[in-house]
Amino acid sequence: MSSISEIFGSMVFNDRVMRERLPKETYKALRKTMAEGKTLKPEVAGVVANAMKDWAIEKGATHYTHWFQPMTGITAEKHDSFISPTADGNVIMEFSGKELEKGEPDASSFPSGGLRATFEARGYTAWDPTSYAFIKEGTLCIPTVFCSYGGEALDKKTPLLRSMEAVNYQALRILKLFGNTQVRHVTTTVGAEQEYFLVDRDVFLKRKDLLYTGRTLFGTKPPKTQELDDHYFGSLKTRVKQYMKELNEELWKLGIMSKTEHNEAAPAQHELAPIYCNTNLATDHNQLIMDVMKKVAERCNMACLLHEKPFESVSGSGKHNNWSLSTDTGINLLEPGSSPHENAQFLLFLCAVIKAVDEHQDLLRISASSAGNDNRLGASEAPPAVISMFLGTELTEILEAIEKGSAYQGKEKVDMEIGVHTLPKFPRDNTDRNRTSPFAFTGNKFEFRMPGSNMSISCPNMILNTITADVLMEFADKLEAAEDFNAELNLLIRDTIKNHKRIIFNGNGYTDEWLDEAQKRGLLNLPTTPDALPHFIKEKNVELFAKHHIFTKAELHSRYEILLETYCKVVHIEANTMLEMAKKDIMPAVMKYIKFISETVASLKIALPEADRSAEEEILTKMTNSAGAFYKMTGKLESDISAIKEKNVPLQKACYLRDVIIKDMAELRQIADGMEEIMPSEYYPYPNYGDMLFSVI
Ligand code: ADP
Ligand code: MG
């Protein structure tokens, strides 16, 4: 194998390649575009396209595609080959600036939430030069945004880029007020830790529920799952190790800095963490990571499960979104500094995030909402559906001292006058260890733990950027207008702590006491997706997104529709899958087993007195009773499913699915799982939980 430094980024048209292959002037023009978000001149685009094509062909690529992120949550690509006919009947390899910059996929099958109907039927893709092109499976992939002809966003990248622009603009205003004039750009940074399960492919293919829905809809708990905590950070099994090796190599080729890998809490559960980078790139990378994870698993005869809750009563999978703000001069704005001046700036940014999270709990909750994640949030191993912030004891005490204007009674006694005194050093490690908080400060960044493993991180980050930009804007307005900057700054920080400290909670977020306490504090508790989504289109949010040019009202409504529709489709498919499994496989298996026991009982009747047949008869009674209940419940689910089509209003339909269908599904599962416990494995039609969770050895 070649060395890591040789393979790293070998499939990326990155800065090094650009510098090598582009004429100096073209390179400079492209860098300027990338840094400032300007549009490229057509002749420059033509030169870049040609160099890209030559490079890609040398690497064995034959096709190119505009790689985009429609509202399906996964990526889309339509491949075109480079070949172009010549007059003499031959072909040449061509790729023009126009083809690089703009594409027109037949986009009518992508969700638009009514946007395309209202405006223009077709959509187009446009090159995002801030994310590098790369080669995947012989195809040159060009990261693009996807919009309608009227310019309305139909994808997940466009609003993210807009939000990065908004936060850049407002953060620069603040930095300027602190006398920071060298900084030209502020970007948000993200490192997304990805959790996943690996199961053997043969076992996976035998489970219709995994195949159709990504999670098990039936299945009783095996004798052992994670009770012994022996999986977490445990030594890696050979097959898993091989998988991670191949995965890393593929990711490194794509320039993705996959760094950490370890076993997670549940059996068969693992985690991958890349080194953080700017949010746009981190989002593209996370989409690629999920894609490559599945493909490499296939190659290793395994299946990679990215669903948030593939197995009941076993930990689910999340995506920990580590987020911070960073300047082009290399300063992390959420890193406490060493001078009073730096500290004041840090506290202001910290307070901005505190206020943003408290004021927009609804939006953060929405950014982690999906049918899949509803199974995980609030379950014992995942953050609750209530948003709160963990700051750690030291930092919380410092904020309390600031609020009261009193001395901080830490290791050294410090009178906290902002801008005059330095912050006491608080140990970073202590800030990092509350795993029950949905939103934790971990020393120099925030870790948002609510998003599900299967989601794009685009929406959570677009929300984080937007709500932070909004508060920074308010702060900048006040500070710019202030006669005495320091006095206004002190007031601003103090008021923010006072008004928003209810969002800070350092205790155990998994307990019921916390939910009661959260209610007393007036924090929002939105347990399910249909509870959360209607908040998206509230007037305050319409205004917020419009103010920062993230979404127009029409765009926002279209997102809302798409999210609701997706929720409904997912639950509907799960219900249909359950019905099929119940009718086609489970019920016939149950009948076979009942036939076997009743024949046993009948033959025993001849041979044994009643008292000696009690075990067999008891099993028979249990099974026939359960079979009856199962049959009845299957019928109820079926008729409730057929009533779905009568619900025409999307929200009403989503609520019906949640309140009626999901309840039916839970009841049906309970009966089936009860029967699975009694039935011999040879009669049960699917691999069981033990077979799945311990299939990779
Ligand atoms: P852990 O949370 O397991 O203790 P780390 O704190 O080292 O691990 O990092 C977790 C993730 O946070 C990694 O993906 C890392 O790259 C990312 N991260 C570290 N610093 C930042 C930052 N300033 N901005 C965004 N992400 C960051
Ligand atoms: Mg972490």
Side-chain angles (χ1 to χ4, degrees), residues 76-97:
E77 39 196 88
K78 181 190 129 218
H79 300 179
D80 280 304
S81 80
F82 290 121
I83 58 170
S84 207
T86 58
D88 57 4
N90 279 328
V91 289
I92 48 164
M93 302 299 249
E94 260 187 351
F95 185 46
S96 68

Side-chain angles (χ1 to χ4, degrees), residues 126-147:
W127 182 32
D128 162 25
T130 60
S131 179
Y132 297 129
F134 55 89
I135 299 171
K136 187 168 71 90
E137 294 148 26
T139 297
L140 171 67
C141 298
I142 296 139
T144 56
V145 296
F146 176 43
C147 294

Side-chain angles (χ1 to χ4, degrees), residues 151-333:
E152 288 81 16
L154 295 174
D155 68 346
K156 302 208 169 206
K157 191 190 260 278
T158 308
L160 181 68
L161 291 174
R162 291 175 183 164
S163 75
M164 288 177 73
E165 204 31 60
V167 86
N168 169 47
Y169 184 78
Q170 304 302 342
L172 282 177
R173 285 177 68 197
I174 299 278
L175 291 178
K176 207 163 147 208
L177 287 162
F178 277 91
N180 211 327
T181 48
Q182 298 103 304
V183 177
R184 305 192 46 190
H185 202 90
V186 173
T187 176
T188 51
T189 52
V190 164
E193 301 165 56
Q194 175 74 47
E195 292 182 329
Y196 62 99
F197 280 85
L198 285 177
V199 296
D200 187 85
R201 191 153 193 86
D202 298 336
V203 173
F204 167 79
L205 291 173
K206 289 185 186 136
R207 291 283 318 203
K208 282 184 189 161
D209 42 8
L210 285 183
L211 212 54
Y212 293 141
T213 73
R215 73 177 179 113
T216 53
L217 299 169
F218 292 104
T220 183
K221 205 173 170 298
K224 167 187 152 99
T225 56
Q226 58 203 68
E227 300 80 1
L228 298 176
D229 288 327
D230 52 352
H231 190 71
Y232 191 59
F233 283 17
S235 95
L236 299 174
K237 293 180 181 126
T238 316
R239 269 180 86 185
V240 174
K241 213 169 171 158
Q242 180 60 28
Y243 170 79
M244 287 179 174
K245 180 172 172 281
E246 288 186 34
L247 176 63
N248 278 336
E249 277 171 28
E250 292 301 327
L251 295 177
W252 288 335
K253 280 187 211 163
L254 292 168
I256 297 169
M257 288 197 248
S258 160
K259 179 154 166 77
T260 318
E261 56 198 21
H262 60 78
N263 285 350
E264 259 301 325
Q269 193 183 29
H270 311 280
E271 183 188 290
L272 179 146
I275 296 176
Y276 72 96
C277 56
N278 88 56
T279 309
N280 182 27
L281 210 55
T283 305
D284 284 359
H285 283 177
N286 186 255
Q287 294 297 127
L288 279 171
I289 287 173
M290 292 194 284
D291 189 7
V292 176
M293 272 182 166
K294 286 192 202 152
K295 297 223 165 95
V296 174
E298 220 175 297
R299 224 157 64 192
C300 299
N301 201 34
M302 296 193 274
C304 172
L305 309 180
L306 291 172
H307 194 282
E308 285 81 6
K309 193 77 178 171
F311 304 101
E312 193 109 338
S313 64
V314 167
S315 287
S317 298
K319 182 133 49 189
H320 296 170
N321 191 83
N322 294 275
W323 175 94
S324 189
L325 297 134
S326 168
T327 68
D328 60 344
T329 52
I331 299 160
N332 178 352
L333 296 173

Side-chain angles (χ1 to χ4, degrees), residues 191 193 271 273 320-322 432-433 435 442 445 447 449:
E193 301 165 56
E271 183 188 290
H320 296 170
N321 191 83
N322 294 275
D432 195 17
R433 294 300 152 217
R435 303 219 160 258
T442 55
K445 62 185 185 290
E447 184 171 355
R449 300 192 177 118

Side-chain angles (χ1 to χ4, degrees), residues 614-670:
S614 61
E616 292 76 6
E617 288 189 352
E618 209 172 288
I619 296 178
L620 182 61
T621 313
K622 267 193 196 161
M623 280 304 291
T624 46
N625 284 348
S626 298
F630 186 71
Y631 182 73
K632 214 166 127 198
M633 200 57 224
T634 307
K636 175 162 173 12
L637 178 63
E638 186 159 24
S639 69
D640 286 342
I641 288 176
S642 59
I644 296 174
K645 58 180 177 307
E646 288 153 28
K647 314 282 174 230
N648 297 321
V649 182
L651 183 61
Q652 184 203 17
K653 186 171 172 179
C655 292
Y656 175 79
L657 285 156
R658 177 195 60 190
D659 299 335
V660 178
I661 301 292
I662 291 182
K663 232 196 208 138
D664 286 352
M665 287 166 64
E667 276 179 49
L668 188 65
R669 176 179 188 148
Q670 206 185 2

